[in-house]
Amino acid sequence: MVRLDGSRIYSRRLVGGKAHGLSKIRAAGLPTSPAFTVTVDACRQYFEGAEALLERLWPQVRGGLSWLEAQSGRAFGQGPVPLLVSVRSGAPASMPGMMDTVLNLGINDEVEQMLATKCGIEFAADTHARFRELYRQVVDPRDGVVPADPWEQLRGAVTAVFESWNSPRAVAYRRHHKLEGKMAGTSVTVQVMVFGNLDEQSGTGVLFSRNPLTGENLPYGEWLPRGQGEDVVSGKFDPLPLTALADHHPDIHQQLLEAAQWLENDGADAQDIEFTVESGTLYLLQTRAAKRSAQAAVSIAVALQREGLIDVDEALSRVTPAQLETLLTPVIEPSALAGATVLASGVPACPGVGAGRVVTDSDSAEDAADEGESVVLVRVTTSPDDVGGMIAAQAVITEQGGSTSHAAVVSRELRTPCVVGCGKGALADLAGSEVTVDGSTGRVYAGLLPMTSPSEGADPNMATLLTWARERCSVEVRQVGHAQVNGLPVVDHRDPISVFRAIDAGQRVVASEHPLPVLLMLLERSRNTDRGIH
């Protein structure tokens, strides 16, 4: 267990991404609430022997709580000012929404009365209800038992976070992203609660330092007055744009933007920041490299190089062949849009086009994909339990939620076209029909529309990456269709095996329909060879 006291910045491998970000925030003197973290290695030890680990760990957890009490001036489970905490997961590599969180822990009937006396009956009742709902969902979904003893609550929550490491959704996520065996587990961060639901001067939100859909260098995010963080992420509420925070709390908005700029410069990457405002005071609760669409990945990589935050080699490493494949995937033929029927429209959450038969549950999406059928997953809102279906689907559409909801964030990570917030009941009649989803415009069209293929040269940022890659790659990759490719072996830009087979056979000039993904594959292999990775 380590205290996040600002004395040092802890590595992701030791404390996970969430606590790494908090240690950076605290060390920089930016506003956050006190926290301590049970390390990633404790999770590994938990699965080797749960009871033995908890017996060794618990005195340290009690010591950590005593430190939080001293830092906050509150008392865990008792008055006069009770301390409530959040218990959150954090893997070394970002796995948004895949593992469990419990908020408002430490409350019971007695503590609710203390909070009611100090902060108001409505706030106390709301906070207790939120805790009971989340605890039952995360810790004891079978029996729904919520212990009154705050220490028993804490032990249950810590255990649940560890167990969520091997939940079906977390395992499916690691498998999809080829992360199996590369991390020891998840850390558990225990942090003093701050309350976005406290009063009219409170709220919660998410800020991206750059637009995660387009890469545009403008702040992008959402704000939910009188809400807690799970309200925004869950997609059950429709938050306001970040400009609403600027309108009502301009000083806090400015403070937030300045903190985001500092964190982006320090991390040399676009940031995803979760924040809460409690009675007019800002608290930063998380910062991490932002999940972004393929279009944004290309745009941000080029922009950061031009701004001097990263060099050309790093810019090239920030874009993957898979992201380029997404950008080079066919788009809707412009001429087909004139007569197309719009069935629904919402907030664009991840660019791209996906088409198929509409299914309304994740099991159906996975079953259809296993049979080779293209499907579009439609949900009121998604939860971590929908990740398998989201992986299987060609596109995701939701009735509720905004651009920082679970559906939006996970879809950008999966590079799956996504439209959110289409409106309550707007998608109810789509089950079984064939649709085409344009995640760039937020529109859902009837039928399977004809498509056309884009090219690297049409996008100035991709063209820049192509120039840089050609300057640095020892293999020349020409584009199919040019006169100079006659007689050259043609490699598939989607198939690394065909690319590496040609190069390993001694070819130093090859052709491909799309040269840039091939060049990035070769540059990545060269970097891995230099690091001794095979």
Coordinates of all heavy atoms in Angstrom, one line a residue, residues 233-265:
V233 N -20.7 8.7 -16.8 CA -20.1 7.5 -17.5 C -21.1 6.5 -17.8 O -21.1 5.9 -18.9 CB -19.0 6.9 -16.6 CG1 -18.4 5.6 -17.2 CG2 -17.8 7.9 -16.3
S234 N -22.1 6.3 -17.0 CA -23.1 5.3 -17.2 C -24.0 5.5 -18.4 O -24.5 4.6 -19.0 CB -24.0 5.2 -16.0 OG -24.9 6.3 -15.9
G235 N -24.1 6.8 -18.8 CA -25.0 7.1 -19.9 C -26.5 7.2 -19.6 O -27.3 7.4 -20.4
K236 N -26.8 7.0 -18.3 CA -28.2 7.1 -17.8 C -28.7 8.5 -17.8 O -29.9 8.7 -17.7 CB -28.3 6.4 -16.5 CG -28.0 4.9 -16.5 CD -28.1 4.3 -15.1 CE -27.8 2.8 -15.2 NZ -27.9 2.2 -13.8
F237 N -27.8 9.5 -17.8 CA -28.2 10.9 -17.8 C -27.6 11.6 -19.0 O -26.6 11.2 -19.5 CB -27.7 11.6 -16.5 CG -28.3 11.0 -15.3 CD1 -27.7 9.9 -14.7 CD2 -29.4 11.5 -14.7 CE1 -28.2 9.4 -13.5 CE2 -30.0 11.0 -13.5 CZ -29.4 9.9 -12.9
D238 N -28.3 12.6 -19.5 CA -27.8 13.4 -20.6 C -27.2 14.6 -20.1 O -27.9 15.6 -19.7 CB -29.0 13.7 -21.6 CG -29.5 12.5 -22.3 OD1 -28.7 11.5 -22.5 OD2 -30.7 12.4 -22.6
P239 N -25.9 14.7 -20.0 CA -25.2 15.9 -19.5 C -25.2 17.0 -20.4 O -25.6 16.9 -21.6 CB -23.8 15.3 -19.2 CG -23.6 14.3 -20.2 CD -24.9 13.6 -20.4
L240 N -24.8 18.2 -19.9 CA -24.7 19.4 -20.7 C -23.3 19.5 -21.3 O -22.3 18.9 -20.8 CB -24.9 20.6 -19.8 CG -26.2 20.6 -19.0 CD1 -26.3 21.8 -18.0 CD2 -27.4 20.7 -20.0
P241 N -23.2 20.3 -22.4 CA -21.8 20.5 -22.9 C -21.0 21.3 -21.9 O -21.5 21.9 -21.0 CB -22.1 21.3 -24.2 CG -23.4 21.9 -24.0 CD -24.2 21.0 -23.2
L242 N -19.6 21.2 -22.1 CA -18.7 21.8 -21.1 C -18.9 23.3 -21.1 O -18.6 24.0 -20.1 CB -17.3 21.5 -21.5 CG -16.2 21.7 -20.4 CD1 -16.5 20.7 -19.3 CD2 -14.8 21.5 -21.0
T243 N -19.5 23.9 -22.2 CA -19.7 25.3 -22.2 C -20.7 25.8 -21.1 O -20.7 26.9 -20.6 CB -20.3 25.8 -23.5 OG1 -21.4 24.9 -23.9 CG2 -19.2 25.6 -24.6
A244 N -21.5 24.8 -20.6 CA -22.5 25.2 -19.5 C -21.7 25.4 -18.3 O -22.1 26.3 -17.5 CB -23.5 24.0 -19.3
L245 N -20.6 24.7 -18.0 CA -19.8 25.0 -16.9 C -19.1 26.4 -17.0 O -19.1 27.1 -16.0 CB -18.7 23.9 -16.7 CG -17.6 24.1 -15.6 CD1 -18.3 24.1 -14.2 CD2 -16.5 23.1 -15.7
A246 N -18.7 26.7 -18.2 CA -18.1 28.1 -18.4 C -19.1 29.1 -18.2 O -18.8 30.2 -17.6 CB -17.6 28.1 -19.8
D247 N -20.4 28.9 -18.5 CA -21.4 29.9 -18.4 C -21.8 30.2 -16.9 O -22.0 31.3 -16.5 CB -22.7 29.5 -19.1 CG -22.5 29.5 -20.6 OD1 -21.6 30.1 -21.1 OD2 -23.3 28.8 -21.3
H248 N -21.8 29.1 -16.1 CA -22.3 29.2 -14.7 C -21.1 29.3 -13.7 O -21.3 29.9 -12.6 CB -23.1 28.0 -14.4 CG -24.4 28.0 -15.1 ND1 -24.6 27.3 -16.3 CD2 -25.6 28.5 -14.8 CE1 -25.9 27.5 -16.7 NE2 -26.5 28.2 -15.8
H249 N -19.9 28.8 -14.1 CA -18.8 28.8 -13.2 C -17.5 29.2 -14.0 O -16.6 28.3 -14.1 CB -18.6 27.5 -12.5 CG -19.8 27.0 -11.7 ND1 -20.2 27.5 -10.5 CD2 -20.7 26.0 -12.0 CE1 -21.3 26.9 -10.1 NE2 -21.6 26.0 -11.0
P250 N -17.4 30.4 -14.5 CA -16.3 30.7 -15.4 C -14.9 30.5 -14.7 O -14.0 30.1 -15.4 CB -16.6 32.2 -15.8 CG -17.5 32.7 -14.7 CD -18.4 31.5 -14.3
D251 N -14.8 30.9 -13.4 CA -13.5 30.7 -12.8 C -13.1 29.3 -12.7 O -11.9 28.9 -12.9 CB -13.6 31.3 -11.4 CG -13.8 32.9 -11.4 OD1 -13.5 33.4 -12.5 OD2 -14.1 33.5 -10.4
I252 N -14.1 28.4 -12.3 CA -13.8 27.0 -12.2 C -13.4 26.4 -13.6 O -12.5 25.6 -13.8 CB -15.0 26.2 -11.6 CG1 -15.1 26.6 -10.2 CG2 -14.7 24.7 -11.7 CD1 -16.4 26.0 -9.5
H253 N -14.2 26.8 -14.6 CA -13.9 26.4 -16.0 C -12.5 26.8 -16.4 O -11.7 26.0 -17.0 CB -14.9 27.0 -16.9 CG -14.8 26.6 -18.4 ND1 -14.1 27.4 -19.3 CD2 -15.1 25.5 -19.1 CE1 -14.1 26.8 -20.5 NE2 -14.7 25.6 -20.4
Q254 N -12.1 28.0 -16.1 CA -10.7 28.4 -16.5 C -9.7 27.6 -15.7 O -8.6 27.3 -16.3 CB -10.6 29.9 -16.2 CG -9.2 30.5 -16.6 CD -9.0 30.4 -18.1 OE1 -9.9 30.5 -18.9 NE2 -7.7 30.2 -18.5
Q255 N -9.9 27.4 -14.4 CA -9.0 26.6 -13.6 C -8.8 25.2 -14.2 O -7.7 24.6 -14.2 CB -9.5 26.6 -12.2 CG -8.5 25.8 -11.2 CD -9.1 25.7 -9.8 OE1 -10.3 26.0 -9.6 NE2 -8.3 25.1 -8.9
L256 N -9.9 24.6 -14.6 CA -9.9 23.3 -15.2 C -9.1 23.3 -16.5 O -8.3 22.4 -16.7 CB -11.4 22.9 -15.5 CG -11.6 21.5 -16.1 CD1 -11.0 20.4 -15.3 CD2 -13.1 21.3 -16.5
L257 N -9.3 24.3 -17.4 CA -8.6 24.3 -18.6 C -7.1 24.5 -18.4 O -6.3 23.9 -19.1 CB -9.1 25.4 -19.5 CG -10.6 25.3 -20.0 CD1 -10.8 26.4 -21.0 CD2 -10.8 23.9 -20.6
E258 N -6.7 25.3 -17.4 CA -5.3 25.5 -17.1 C -4.7 24.2 -16.6 O -3.5 23.9 -17.0 CB -5.1 26.6 -16.1 CG -5.4 28.0 -16.7 CD -5.5 29.1 -15.7 OE1 -5.3 28.8 -14.5 OE2 -5.7 30.3 -16.0
A259 N -5.4 23.5 -15.8 CA -4.9 22.2 -15.3 C -4.7 21.2 -16.4 O -3.7 20.5 -16.5 CB -5.8 21.6 -14.2
A260 N -5.7 21.2 -17.3 CA -5.7 20.2 -18.5 C -4.5 20.6 -19.3 O -3.8 19.6 -19.8 CB -7.0 20.3 -19.3
Q261 N -4.2 21.8 -19.6 CA -3.1 22.2 -20.4 C -1.8 21.8 -19.8 O -0.9 21.2 -20.4 CB -3.1 23.7 -20.6 CG -2.0 24.2 -21.7 CD -2.3 23.6 -23.0 OE1 -3.3 23.8 -23.6 NE2 -1.3 22.8 -23.6
W262 N -1.6 21.9 -18.5 CA -0.4 21.5 -17.8 C -0.3 20.0 -17.9 O 0.8 19.5 -18.2 CB -0.5 21.9 -16.3 CG 0.8 21.7 -15.6 CD1 1.9 22.5 -15.4 CD2 1.3 20.4 -15.0 NE1 2.9 21.9 -14.8 CE2 2.6 20.6 -14.5 CE3 0.7 19.2 -14.9 CZ2 3.3 19.6 -13.9 CZ3 1.4 18.1 -14.3 CH2 2.7 18.4 -13.8
L263 N -1.3 19.2 -17.7 CA -1.3 17.8 -17.7 C -1.0 17.3 -19.1 O -0.2 16.3 -19.3 CB -2.6 17.2 -17.2 CG -2.8 17.3 -15.7 CD1 -4.3 17.0 -15.3 CD2 -1.8 16.5 -14.9
E264 N -1.5 17.9 -20.1 CA -1.2 17.6 -21.5 C 0.2 17.8 -21.8 O 0.9 16.9 -22.5 CB -2.1 18.3 -22.5 CG -1.8 18.0 -24.0 CD -2.7 18.6 -25.0 OE1 -3.9 18.2 -25.1 OE2 -2.3 19.6 -25.6
N265 N 0.7 19.0 -21.5 CA 2.2 19.3 -21.7 C 3.1 18.3 -21.0 O 4.1 17.8 -21.6 CB 2.5 20.7 -21.3 CG 1.8 21.7 -22.3 OD1 1.4 21.4 -23.4 ND2 1.7 22.9 -21.8

